[in-house]
Amino acid sequence: MTSTEKTDVVVVGSGFGGAIAAYHLAAGGARVVVLERGPWLRAEDFDHDFKLGSSYTRIFDFTVGDGMSVLAGNCVGGGSVVYFATMPRAPRFVFERHGGIGRRMWPASISRETLDPWYDVVSAALPVTPQTWDDVPYAGGLFAAACRHAGRSANPVPSAIDKQLCTNCNWMMAGCRFDAKRSLLLNYLPAAVENGAEIRPLREVQRLTRTAEGNYQVHYNRVDDTDYRLQHESAVIEAKIVVLAAGAGATPVILQRSEAELGTMPHAVGRYFSGNGERLNTAVINENRAREVLGLDRGDGHAYGAHQIGKGPCVATWDHLDESLPEYSRYSLEQLYFPPGLGTILAQAPGAAAPAWFGREKKEMLRDWQSWLTVFAMTEDDNEGVFGPPPATGNAERVTQQMLGRGTLGYDPTANTLRGWAESDAEVRDILERDGIAKVRPWSNELVGAYTVHPLSSCRIGDDPATSALDDRHELRGHPGIFVTDGSAVPGALTVNPALTIAALAERAIPALVQAAQERGVAVTYEASSPVSGTAHQVAVPTGR
Amino acid sequence: MTQIATLEAFADTIIPGCKRTSDDRAIAGVSEDGGAVAAGALAVLADPALGLTDALEGMAGLLNMHAGAYGRKRGLTLDGTVPALVALSFDDRTALVQELTGPAHSEREVWFGAALFCTMAFDSAPHLPTATALAEHHPGLELIGFRAPDADGLWRFADFSYRRRLADPHPQTTETGSPT
């Protein structure tokens, strides 16, 4: 009989929720093992290449569901490696939202004021910095000029990008070759390793069981490094604390699969999923009108024609982030870039009779690809996503070797969500079709349903046990010692890019997590340190439980 | 040959191209330059990295079954010397693909997936290193105007910004650049 491997803390997933927990627990003296489903790549491994099998297909997943498809990171560093590093804080009203439950969704202990110090901690660690107009690529500039022309405001958005190193190559979804994107590979994760944490890539956690002593056994498989459909040997590791941070598309699935042995899960596990209310429109810019109406000129004969150039979303308009507007009518609009392939398939040719997403007119639309401007709406959806029974392994039946899978998430948008999308679509048209600047059409929701790059809320915090899976310290109700610190803990749509909020919530969760570890016999302290400087921050930590 | 011609006809429906020869039947020829077939759609569908190679014969068979049923329903007389999908006109192929990918069709995920790979073949050439595809004048990357990399195969854009204030920021922006 072989003995089971033991450690103090197992962290499942290495995105914001996992990396921040791993760093602080390791820095505080705990033995930490991080299990990450995807591969571990570094700057030199990040290809500028669409070829199947390059980093572009190795490090993120496109999971098709019933009414909602999810794009998410699948690598050490998680979403931070594949995302666009746009890092605004969530507006104040978001924390007061009621959604569909008739009461405040967020725990009473969290507001913008109480989260701001944690936003500061993460912003210093990554770091997050403001952008100036000199940093804004042509696409963002064009969107800003169109907003001004339409009487709207527009802001360069703070980002976690080192502008000195950035080449504006727009290959961010394949990982940053230049280490300009301040992903977790450059701060929390190396600091966690330096403090003794062990990161194991290509290890997919399937389920948890509990021992007679109240510890948890984490059951995982090794995933093939090329064909992710293949699972190799299984293993078990035992820990006193488990931190689940596999992402909002995967964390609830692990808990669903564990329910038979762990016992009943809170009702909200695998429910209340939010796609952050996301919606995309593609505008095809009329180059002449961009010059004549907006006065734009690149100085090389082009007014715009620069869809390929840049660093993801850099400019947003926040005029509808107005707390006096009714819920579901508040949203931000952001200029965005999506590469060809996944970024073109759902775009519909403006004005085309059906079909608009393939065929003759779609090809004509592609001829103008460099004049496309993609506009991203982040609205308030209704947390209507529900996960079905878990697949045999992982969170999806994988269709292709990498990237594409079929998951169990069902999402049937309510009238509230549909209204938000319709209002934001109308706003995009009003801004960009004014005076013939562009022709605009939303992406199709007919083919794979809605889509999100910011999955949230499938295992959320809250004060009401009936509608939240976690208490306000991120501990799973009824299952002491299991914490969830990823995007699934966020109660609802944020109307802005959520990464900074996910990270701030994870930082905020650490003191209680450390306390829980101490109570379970782990020799660990909370150092309140920064992964970059090693110095302590000054946030007042709430005491008591 | 049936399998190849059928899948070519499907790919040509997604992103249409010009005929390769005057007697080309698989490509309907409704566009004046290369489409998904010329871009390598069949190579993408058969790429071992997708792992669909073994399914392609069945997919071609299903497409022809659906094309035959489509023709019978509309009283069309299809040329029996070519696969049924190839025998359909471009507009009929288009209508059939709309049916197959419509919300009511039980196989819609299969055909949307196939359409996705044909689109990817055209505008991102995932069966080739991107720099190589550009150097070889890949028809889709060339049509979308995808710019070429530097000599080391990496993309950099030294000129990327209008470098001027193009809008007024929201009046309630915080010091950190976020909404309040």
Side-chain angles (χ1 to χ4, degrees):
Chain A
M1 185 177 161
T2 54
S3 61
T4 300
E5 182 185 9
K6 293 184 178 170
T7 189
D8 293 331
V9 181
V10 167
V11 177
V12 182
S14 59
F16 283 103
I20 289 171
Y23 162 65
H24 283 292
L25 289 160
R31 294 174 300 156
V32 177
V33 174
V34 181
L35 300 173
E36 164 55 52
R37 175 178 70 173
W40 193 347
L41 276 65
R42 296 163 181 84
E44 61 271 22
D45 305 316
F46 296 131
D47 307 303
H48 284 189
D49 206 331
F50 294 125
K51 191 173 189 314
L52 297 168
S54 66
S55 65
Y56 180 59
T57 62
R58 290 173 73 192
I59 63 175
F60 83 88
D61 278 346
F62 177 37
T63 305
V64 178
D66 291 311
M68 175 64 76
S69 295
V70 175
L71 281 128
N74 178 55
C75 57
V76 172
S80 82
V81 176
V82 299
Y83 80 151
F84 291 121
T86 308
M87 299 296 246
R89 301 182 186 203
R92 190 174 311 272
F93 68 78
V94 155
F95 301 92
E96 309 303 322
R97 288 192 60 200
H98 284 203
I101 64 172
R103 54 169 291 173
R104 198 172 178 271
M105 293 198 293
W106 286 76
S109 55
I110 303 179
S111 64
R112 170 67 181 266
E113 284 70 26
T114 62
L115 202 57
D116 260 331
W118 301 106
Y119 278 130
D120 289 341
V121 169
V122 180
S123 297
L126 291 176
V128 176
T129 52
Q131 289 191 89
T132 70
W133 290 104
D134 282 351
D135 303 318
V136 168
Y138 297 119
L142 177 104
F143 184 56
C147 286
R148 182 168 65 183
H149 179 67
R152 271 69 163 187
S153 69
N155 286 54
V157 187
S159 76
I161 296 173
D162 182 333
K163 283 88 173 180
Q164 299 305 311
L165 296 177
C166 179
T167 69
N168 287 281
C169 69
N170 252 340
W171 281 99
M172 296 176 87
M173 282 171 71
C176 184
R177 177 66 169 240
F178 306 109
D179 273 344
K181 176 161 62 178
R182 299 294 306 171
S183 79
L184 296 164
L185 296 173
L186 302 179
N187 34 65
Y188 284 95
L189 287 172
V193 171
E194 205 171 291
N195 283 282
E198 185 189 345
I199 301 172
R200 299 180 189 169
L202 296 165
R203 303 298 195 280
E204 185 176 72
V205 171
Q206 306 301 333
R207 63 194 171 90
L208 313 180
T209 54
R210 190 184 288 113
T211 68
E213 298 79 36
N215 294 335
Y216 291 97
Q217 294 196 332
V218 181
H219 301 255
Y220 64 96
N221 298 341
R222 185 168 66 82
V223 179
D224 189 84
D225 66 357
T226 302
D227 189 344
Y228 297 163
R229 296 173 300 188
L230 304 177
Q231 304 240 334
H232 298 299
E233 72 278 4
S234 301
V236 180
I237 182 168
E238 186 173 318
K240 294 186 170 69
I241 293 275
V242 175
V243 179
L244 285 176
T251 285
V253 183
I254 294 168
L255 290 173
Q256 286 178 314
R257 197 181 284 116
S258 306
E259 186 163 24
E261 289 171 279
L262 283 187
T264 306
M265 285 293 145
H267 176 77
V269 169
R271 291 186 175 82
Y272 302 107
F273 174 95
S274 165
N276 203 33
E278 290 175 359
R279 176 86 168 164
L280 286 158
N281 275 260
T282 298
V284 182
I285 303 298
N286 179 318
E287 294 287 331
N288 289 333
R289 300 303 285 161
R291 183 185 306 279
E292 295 159 7
V293 176
L294 302 179
L296 296 177
D297 187 350
R298 284 171 45 189
D300 60 356
H302 292 94
Y304 170 56
H307 187 225
Q308 187 182 342
I309 301 170
K311 42 184 172 283
C314 294
V315 168
T317 181
W318 293 333
D319 292 338
H320 288 261
L321 298 185
D322 177 349
E323 63 189 347
S324 70
L325 291 170
E327 194 167 4
Y328 307 107
S329 287
R330 302 172 296 199
Y331 54 84
S332 65
L333 298 177
E334 201 166 81
Q335 151 271 327
L336 178 65
Y337 173 79
F338 252 110
L342 293 177
T344 55
I345 180 73
L346 298 177
Q348 303 192 91
W357 65 274
F358 74 92
R360 256 185 288 222
E361 288 170 280
K362 180 65 177 283
K363 183 179 180 186
E364 294 312 304
M365 182 192 186
L366 285 166
R367 255 181 236 287
D368 295 323
W369 180 78
Q370 285 286 9
S371 295
W372 287 19
L373 178 75
T374 308
V375 181
F376 189 35
M378 286 167 276
T379 73
E380 298 170 289
D381 75 355
D382 229 351
N383 294 85
E384 49 269 80
V386 179
F387 284 80
T393 60
N395 70 326
E397 303 285 352
R398 286 190 172 274
V399 176
T400 53
Q401 285 192 359
Q402 298 167 0
M403 199 161 74
L404 186 61
R406 183 65 170 85
T408 68
L409 176 60
Y411 189 94
D412 185 9
T414 67
N416 290 328
T417 299
L418 293 170
R419 191 183 86 212
W421 288 343
E423 289 179 5
S424 61
D425 285 351
E427 177 74 353
V428 176
R429 277 198 306 278
D430 190 33
I431 293 170
L432 285 165
E433 292 196 337
R434 193 173 286 232
D435 296 320
I437 298 165
K439 290 183 175 170
V440 181
R441 191 157 175 176
W443 282 24
S444 172
N445 275 15
E446 303 291 313
L447 298 158
V448 286
Y451 38 77
T452 182
V453 295
H454 296 137
L456 299 172
S457 314
S458 52
C459 193
R460 63 184 184 172
I461 51 174
D463 291 334
D464 173 14
T467 59
S468 61
L470 314 173
D471 62 25
D472 75 340
R473 299 169 311 117
H474 293 243
E475 194 167 26
L476 184 67
R477 296 181 186 282
H479 301 272
I482 298 177
F483 286 76
V484 176
T485 53
D486 59 15
S488 45
V490 175
L494 297 174
T495 68
V496 295
N497 318 65
L500 193 67
T501 301
I502 295 169
L505 286 172
E507 279 282 1
R508 176 190 167 277
I510 301 301
L513 187 46
V514 168
Q515 188 179 353
Q518 290 166 344
E519 288 167 6
R520 295 173 77 86
V522 178
V524 60
T525 55
Y526 180 58
E527 302 293 327
S529 56
S530 162
V532 179
S533 64
T535 55
H537 62 68
Q538 302 299 316
V539 181
V541 176
T543 54
R545 298 189 62 167
Chain B
M1 281 312 289
T2 294
Q3 177 184 320
I4 292 172
T6 304
L7 295 174
E8 284 182 346
F10 178 85
D12 185 62
T13 309
I14 303 305
I15 305 287
C18 54
K19 285 182 181 291
R20 292 159 288 193
T21 58
S22 58
D23 59 353
D24 194 339
R25 298 285 301 274
I27 293 180
V30 302
S31 183
E32 62 192 18
D33 46 14
V37 175
L42 266 70
V44 172
L45 289 169
D47 195 307
L50 287 183
L52 301 176
T53 319
D54 294 342
L56 296 179
E57 187 180 353
M59 287 167 66
L62 274 175
L63 281 172
N64 286 320
M65 185 189 81
H66 290 308
Y70 176 94
R72 282 191 296 281
K73 214 177 342 178
R74 285 158 186 80
L76 303 175
T77 306
L78 300 184
D79 178 354
T81 65
V82 293
L85 183 67
V86 175
L88 292 179
S89 70
F90 182 80
D91 287 343
D92 282 326
R93 294 178 190 180
T94 300
L96 175 60
V97 171
Q98 282 184 273
E99 267 180 34
L100 297 179
T101 54
H105 203 282
S106 61
E107 295 163 14
R108 69 192 184 96
E109 288 183 15
V110 174
W111 304 117
F112 171 72
L116 169 65
F117 299 138
C118 293
T119 302
M120 288 168 69
F122 186 72
D123 63 24
S124 66
H127 56 308
L128 299 169
T130 305
T132 306
L134 282 162
E136 294 174 354
H137 302 286
H138 179 272
L141 289 173
E142 202 154 270
L143 178 137
I144 71 169
F146 202 81
R147 293 194 175 82
D150 289 348
D152 63 356
L154 300 177
W155 274 256
R156 298 174 187 83
F157 295 102
D159 295 320
F160 65 92
S161 176
Y162 296 111
R163 294 188 188 280
R164 59 190 172 99
R165 177 175 167 142
L166 286 158
D168 296 323
H170 194 280
Q172 290 176 334
T173 307
T174 67
E175 275 179 22
T176 62
S178 278
T180 50

